[in-house]
Amino acid sequence: MSEDNFLEKLQNCLKDYLVDAKKKRDRLYIVEVKAEAVDKVVKALKESFGDIHVTTISAVDYIEYLEVFYDLWLHGPKVALVLKVKVNSDKPELPSIVGVIPGALFNECEVYDLFGIIFKGNNHLKKSFILPEHFPKDYFPLRKKR
Amino acid sequence: MSYAVDLLFGPQHPALHEPERFRFKVDGEIIVDVDVKIGFIHRGIEKLAESKNFIQNIYLTERICGICNVAHTLCYVQAVEDMAGIEVPERAKYLRVIVHELNRIHSHLLILGVAAELLGWETEFMYLWRDREAIMDIIEDVTGNRVTSAFNTIGGVRRDINNTQKERMLKVLDKVEKDTRFHKKVLEEDPLYRERMVNMGVLKTRDAIERCAVGPTARGSNVDYDVRAHDPYAAYDEIPFNVIRYKECDSWARMMVRVDETLESINIIRYALKHLPGGEIRVKVPPRLPAGEGLSRVEAPRGELIHHVFCKGDVKPYRLKVRTPTFANILAIAPTFIGHTIADVPAILVSIDPCFSCTDRLTFVDVSSGKVMKLSLGEIKRMYWSR
């Protein structure tokens, strides 16, 4: 599978969930999708393009909302994909993708520990995954304000 | 009737050169379950990066890991260049490749030595580290420092190399190649080494892909993923080299990937030196960079490393995300301990080349009795330094 017409294929594959998709440079695409469907998006990508490598999952706090990004590598077409979703800062919740890609487990645990984003379906979320054990349970250090 | 007993391995343990805790459930000698706790050397570097400017952050990211410091600075400056649309001169790209590969050689020889030491084979450890010392000398010759070299900078590199240095480097590389070929033969044939490493911690290809393993850990399991080849950066798109893979999927395969990669790195450096273009080594970059985001991934000695930087048109990044290779490999390797004996733990663990300083980085806030404190350096000095 090559990179030719990848953007078109991507738009067809994710048309129900897509908000925006663009090519940043060769072998790098940035895609924004609906937050509630992120697990379905990853599943659809896996079915269309083959194995997915999750490089990292993390977030940026823009105060009004949290932007969660998934840095993925698609083994089939050999392209990098940044999957972005916007999440409400007051009640941050997302479906977990661990069921589709087991390798995303530590990444989701880390995001929960540092940003307080709850990944529904991930049963291993706990505070003090990477932070010290005596760290306050209601404080998420990488948020811009408490 | 058998009972499983909890066996704590770490945070402080002779087989772990950095603190991390493994809780093994053992039935007699056999491991039946494993639980990993990371975070013992969490230094809050991502949070700290938000308060430092783009240039200061080069030196901060360099300190995420001493051994793969060049990979970290390279990845960070590439992410910033990607964000700001800075085009780096051709000569700088080749020089980056040379120092990056020297860094890989010294890192691989280091872990091969550590593995030998953990298996009780101190002679091989001494020989490997003696040979590594020659590489450390060239790194010092080229960059001015043995370990934290601060060679990469935003817009290029900080130092050029001349013909005398080039010749010195080629001479040393010839010797290191000869030594590495000798070590390869030894590690391939030594019966004790094979006895301890072959069929240890088998990570099947399918599992390595599903659990997102990276670097020599993945390639030892025959996964075709090397960032240098598949998403080329710096000058890797112009340099021919082979992606090393082994089909055995065990600890021995992961170590042999490193031996072969060392030889491949030597060839990459030779090619880069021969085809080194002329011209400038850096372009000037303003301190305030435009708003945007930049992403860079590089193949660090331990595997794929990513830096993702966000900026709001300031002198500082708004957010810097770093994902280091050991963070990915720990999850992949943890279930492979099951079924082996306690004595095999070091042989499996060392095969992912664990680097926990890389893994624990994220928060900066200090906490005392549940209360969050932010202290300046002056305050810390006043409170904790006795005169």
Side-chain angles (χ1 to χ4, degrees):
Chain A
M1 208 186 283
S2 73
E3 202 191 328
D4 304 336
N5 305 326
F6 178 75
L7 196 60
E8 215 172 282
K9 284 181 206 161
L10 193 70
Q11 280 161 338
N12 282 336
C13 165
L14 305 179
K15 57 179 180 288
D16 298 337
Y17 322 111
L18 202 65
V19 178
D20 184 31
K22 61 177 187 230
K23 180 174 180 171
K24 185 157 193 242
R25 58 174 156 83
D26 280 352
R27 301 179 301 275
L28 177 62
Y29 295 81
I30 297 183
V31 178
E32 196 187 327
V33 294
K34 292 175 188 162
E36 65 278 9
V38 72
D39 53 339
K40 295 187 191 108
V41 167
V42 175
K43 210 170 176 182
L45 286 172
K46 197 172 176 180
E47 277 162 14
S48 307
F49 301 105
D51 288 319
I52 302 175
H53 170 80
V54 177
T55 304
T56 188
I57 303 172
S58 198
V60 192
D61 187 0
Y62 287 114
I63 318 282
E64 310 88 63
Y65 61 91
L66 286 162
E67 186 181 79
V68 181
F69 56 88
Y70 295 69
D71 289 334
L72 310 174
W73 174 260
L74 306 184
H75 281 293
K78 300 208 184 309
V79 295
L81 197 68
V82 181
L83 204 64
K84 288 187 173 180
V85 293
K86 282 182 186 157
V87 188
N88 186 341
S89 319
D90 299 327
K91 197 170 175 273
E93 278 187 352
L94 272 177
S96 167
I97 63 163
V98 172
V100 191
I101 308 167
L105 177 69
F106 271 20
N107 293 299
E108 288 188 356
C109 294
E110 190 193 18
V111 179
Y112 173 70
D113 209 3
L114 300 170
F115 285 93
I117 295 166
I118 296 164
F119 291 89
K120 282 186 284 182
N122 183 340
N123 302 324
H124 293 83
L125 297 183
K126 58 169 190 222
K127 278 297 281 181
S128 310
F129 168 73
I130 197 156
L131 296 173
E133 275 161 18
H134 57 268
F135 206 85
K137 302 297 173 212
D138 58 344
Y139 185 77
F140 303 107
L142 287 182
R143 292 271 198 106
K144 295 286 177 188
K145 60 175 186 183
R146 291 191 75 174
Chain B
M1 194 174 169
S2 66
Y3 297 94
V5 177
D6 274 8
L7 177 76
L8 279 180
F9 191 91
Q12 313 297 334
H13 189 277
L16 294 166
H17 290 214
E18 291 173 62
E20 216 71 88
R21 191 185 71 204
F22 291 82
R23 187 193 293 272
F24 295 110
K25 277 203 186 315
V26 290
D27 181 3
E29 273 280 292
I30 309 293
I31 296 163
V32 290
D33 199 9
V34 57
D35 178 34
V36 191
K37 167 81 179 108
I38 59 173
F40 288 92
I41 28 175
H42 198 276
R43 290 156 292 163
I45 286 178
E46 283 181 23
K47 185 77 178 169
L48 189 57
E50 291 170 11
S51 63
K52 298 203 175 290
N53 69 35
F54 285 107
I55 296 292
Q56 287 171 324
N57 275 331
I58 301 173
Y59 304 98
L60 180 66
T61 50
E62 180 165 51
R63 277 149 184 82
I64 291 173
C65 174
I67 298 170
C68 37
N69 64 80
V70 179
H72 276 284
T73 53
L74 179 59
C75 198
Y76 169 74
V77 299
Q78 282 185 168
V80 175
E81 285 156 6
D82 179 41
M83 182 185 80
I86 298 160
E87 196 49 51
V88 180
E90 277 300 303
R91 188 175 175 87
K93 287 184 182 171
Y94 273 75
L95 290 172
R96 282 177 175 183
V97 167
I98 292 167
V99 177
H100 188 37
E101 291 302 325
L102 284 172
N103 188 225
R104 186 183 320 279
I105 298 174
H106 105 70
S107 173
H108 282 354
L109 292 179
L110 177 138
I111 196 63
L112 288 165
V114 170
E117 189 219 1
L118 287 179
L119 303 182
W121 192 8
E122 290 193 5
T123 322
E124 178 67 358
F125 159 61
M126 290 291 176
Y127 280 135
L128 276 159
W129 277 45
R130 178 198 64 185
D131 300 340
R132 168 178 173 265
E133 209 51 34
I135 297 291
M136 301 304 282
D137 288 343
I138 338 181
I139 294 176
E140 186 177 4
D141 192 17
V142 175
T143 68
N145 215 346
R146 273 165 59 88
V147 182
T148 42
S149 52
F151 187 70
N152 299 305
T153 190
I154 299 165
V157 294
R158 282 177 51 247
R159 284 174 178 237
D160 204 350
I161 61 171
N162 58 32
N163 283 336
T164 329
Q165 284 172 317
K166 231 193 242 185
E167 300 210 339
R168 271 205 294 264
M169 199 188 289
L170 286 169
K171 227 169 163 182
V172 173
L173 287 176
D174 286 344
K175 184 170 179 308
V176 174
E177 187 184 12
K178 198 170 139 237
D179 295 336
T180 311
R181 287 197 188 283
F182 169 74
H183 291 302
K184 183 177 175 182
K185 191 165 178 287
V186 170
L187 299 181
E188 271 176 349
E189 292 174 2
D190 185 80
L192 268 177
Y193 192 78
R194 288 187 64 92
E195 195 67 34
R196 292 297 306 272
M197 289 299 222
V198 171
N199 287 332
M200 284 300 150
V202 173
L203 177 65
K204 298 225 171 70
T205 310
R206 195 67 239 151
D207 292 340
I209 293 173
E210 296 250 307
R211 293 191 215 137
C212 303
V214 294
T217 308
R219 291 192 290 277
S221 294
N222 204 19
V223 178
D224 184 19
Y225 183 46
D226 186 326
V227 183
R228 293 174 294 169
H230 297 133
D231 190 10
Y233 51 95
Y236 284 107
D237 49 347
E238 295 164 16
I239 299 173
F241 68 98
N242 299 318
V243 177
I244 309 292
R245 285 191 285 161
Y246 272 71
K247 290 192 180 119
E248 283 82 352
C249 305
D250 54 8
S251 286
W252 180 81
R254 295 191 274 276
M255 298 321 280
M256 292 318 286
V257 167
R258 296 193 174 92
V259 179
D260 286 356
E261 278 189 2
T262 306
L263 296 168
E264 208 58 41
S265 294
I266 293 170
N267 286 334
I268 292 173
I269 298 171
R270 283 199 188 116
Y271 184 93
L273 283 173
K274 197 174 167 197
H275 296 85
L276 192 62
E280 291 296 310
I281 58 162
R282 69 185 286 187
V283 290
K284 257 198 138 144
V285 178
R288 185 176 293 274
L289 296 176
E293 70 170 287
L295 180 148
S296 164
R297 62 181 87 213
V298 305
E299 188 69 27
R302 287 161 185 75
E304 177 204 37
L305 165 71
I306 193 167
H307 281 230
H308 201 148
V309 58
F310 295 80
C311 177
K312 277 188 158 181
D314 199 350
V315 294
K316 299 183 289 193
Y318 186 71
R319 166 100 174 92
L320 171 69
K321 169 66 195 165
V322 182
R323 202 288 266 116
T324 52
T326 303
F327 189 82
N329 282 338
I330 289 243
L331 180 69
I333 208 77
T336 68
F337 288 107
I338 295 168
H340 291 292
T341 60
I342 298 165
D344 292 329
V345 169
I348 298 169
L349 192 59
V350 76
S351 71
I352 66 161
D353 193 354
C355 180
F356 301 122
S357 289
C358 282
T359 309
D360 308 340
R361 266 158 304 94
L362 291 141
T363 193
F364 163 65
V365 185
D366 201 338
V367 182
S368 171
S369 61
K371 195 181 159 199
V372 181
M373 297 193 300
K374 288 189 181 178
L375 301 176
S376 70
L377 189 61
E379 283 169 325
I380 293 169
K381 273 183 190 168
R382 276 197 298 281
M383 285 170 73
Y384 299 113
W385 285 13
S386 55
R387 290 180 189 278

